[in-house]
Amino acid sequence: MTGKRILIAGCGRLGTRLGTALNQAGAEVHGLRRHPRHLPAGITPLAADLLADPDLSDRLPPGLDQVYYILTPQTTDDAGYKAAFVTGLTRLLEALSASGNAHARVIFVSSTGVYGQDQGEWVDEASVTEPTRFSGRRLLEAETCLRRHPGVSVVVRFAGIYGPERDSLVRRVRSGRPCTDPPPRYTNRIHEDDCIGVLRHVGQLAAPAPLYIGVDDAPCTQCEVMDWLASALGQQPPRRTPGGTQSGRRCLNQRLRASGYRFRYPSYRQGYQRLVRAGV
Ligand SMILES: NC(=O)c1ccc[n+]([C@@H]2O[C@H](COP(=O)([O-])OP(=O)(O)OC[C@H]3O[C@@H](n4cnc5c(N)ncnc54)[C@H](OP(=O)(O)O)[C@@H]3O)[C@@H](O)[C@H]2O)c1
């Protein structure tokens, strides 16, 4: 990492943790967001609005080696997703080109929401993507935009991110809320620490694939995770409630593993055990 110059566009929770780790490994890290004043030392703040600011190219550092794109939409509707993922990424790619950074490696954080499979199917990077929701459709559109980048580009499709401040499922179990069954609802997860690990890993690979699914080894039903959590918390298993016809999919991480990534938390058991012990 020493000597690498890295831009994190959308330097929020993941970006700040990633940027800090990269800086500690010797990289020069720039964090772009609209309100960057609280970024920690080690990340050079770059105040910019990817959707509104003119002349982004004048403000990007020269000689970028890597660019991470980790935005969240302002609104959870089609317009918000289009703006954050399609418009924002397109504008950043244009600015990279105009600023002499066309050959930086661009790593785009996407989601397994691009898959439409909803009957518990197993999916991997070769599986068909026919999203049924606007969010998946806009992310897929952004992934397509990324393919026009002349440098190396990598898409990472994360599933449900959990961790110390992403503990809604623990709170759900604590409060005695039910889990959905029938039908069994399949879910996929990744611990936030592994998100950071995966993003660093694909940034360093000599010849990365264009696409990785970022999930742990343990896709399973929502009830399985909630039963396990209830047991770890010393509670009764949650009640079951019927949940319509949709039942999710099961995502495979073989490509990521084959590329050499080793999970810190290979399943929800290790990840949530730590959270439960920490009293989350
Ligand atoms: N949560 C999940 O389970 C899940 C699952 C799959 C994928 N993902 C993806 O994982 C990522 C989560 O990242 P995160 O937790 O780090 O999100 P985050 O904390 O919300 O960070 C995103 C940052 O983007 C910045 N931003 C938003 N609009 C901007 C704009 N127009 N111009 C410049 N910066 C802008 C925001 O900062 P300012 O407000 O200061 O601009 C914010 O800090 C997202 O890409 C999400 O789609 C999440």
Side-chain angles (χ1 to χ4, degrees):
M1 271 300 111
T2 306
K4 296 275 187 212
R5 187 171 290 170
I6 298 174
L7 172 70
I8 301 177
C11 195
R13 187 171 166 84
L14 286 187
T16 300
R17 289 198 55 200
L18 173 67
T20 300
L22 292 169
N23 176 254
Q24 285 167 355
E28 176 188 311
V29 179
H30 299 259
L32 184 156
R33 58 187 290 177
R34 291 164 300 185
H35 313 288
R37 60 187 171 279
H38 296 305
L39 289 179
I43 302 180
T44 305
L46 174 47
D49 186 336
L50 278 171
L51 301 177
D53 284 4
D55 301 331
L56 274 173
S57 60
D58 292 347
R59 306 177 52 202
L60 297 183
L64 287 168
D65 296 290
Q66 293 170 17
V67 177
Y68 288 91
Y69 192 92
I70 323 179
L71 246 66
T72 44
Q74 184 95 11
T75 54
T76 47
D77 56 10
D78 186 56
Y81 270 72
K82 181 180 180 193
F85 294 117
V86 182
T87 310
L89 180 65
T90 302
R91 293 193 79 226
L92 181 65
L93 293 177
E94 286 167 0
L96 289 173
S97 178
S99 60
N101 285 306
H103 292 285
R105 177 177 299 191
V106 178
I107 297 152
F108 174 71
V109 172
S110 183
S111 160
T112 55
V114 298
Y115 296 108
Q117 289 85 337
D118 223 340
Q119 299 299 317
E121 300 94 325
W122 291 95
V123 302
D124 65 11
E125 289 82 355
S127 299
V128 66
T129 47
E130 290 174 346
T132 53
R133 300 194 66 230
F134 67 84
S135 47
R137 283 194 288 270
R138 291 301 184 188
L139 280 161
L140 208 51
E141 192 179 341
E143 291 185 11
T144 305
C145 294
L146 185 64
R147 302 281 169 250
R148 295 199 289 268
H149 177 60
V152 171
S153 63
V154 184
V155 171
V156 181
R157 293 176 180 161
F158 286 133
I161 303 171
Y162 72 101
E165 289 176 39
R166 304 185 199 251
D167 56 354
S168 57
L169 198 63
V170 183
R171 285 186 274 114
R172 180 176 174 143
V173 172
R174 266 196 213 285
S175 64
R177 288 174 55 201
C179 69
T180 305
D181 190 24
R185 177 170 292 177
Y186 288 97
T187 57
N188 306 271
R189 277 154 301 280
I190 181 166
H191 192 285
E192 186 180 88
D193 289 0
D194 280 310
C195 291
I196 309 300
V198 168
L199 292 174
R200 286 189 69 180
H201 174 75
V202 300
Q204 287 168 5
L205 284 174
L211 169 65
Y212 293 92
I213 290 178
V215 298
D216 69 18
D217 296 348
C220 63
T221 65
Q222 181 197 49
C223 287
E224 180 182 324
V225 188
M226 290 179 70
D227 281 350
W228 186 91
L229 272 170
S231 169
L233 292 166
Q235 298 181 193
Q236 291 298 311
R239 283 178 295 112
R240 269 59 175 159
T241 53
T245 54
Q246 299 214 324
S247 69
R249 65 198 76 89
R250 287 173 278 187
C251 299
L252 294 160
N253 64 11
Q254 265 84 343
R255 181 179 286 182
L256 189 58
R257 281 196 163 277
S259 74
Y261 185 70
R262 297 289 167 262
F263 279 85
R264 181 166 183 195
Y265 301 107
S267 89
Y268 65 85
R269 296 177 202 87
Q270 292 92 342
Y272 277 123
Q273 183 69 264
R274 196 174 164 89
L275 294 185
V276 169
R277 281 209 191 110
V280 162

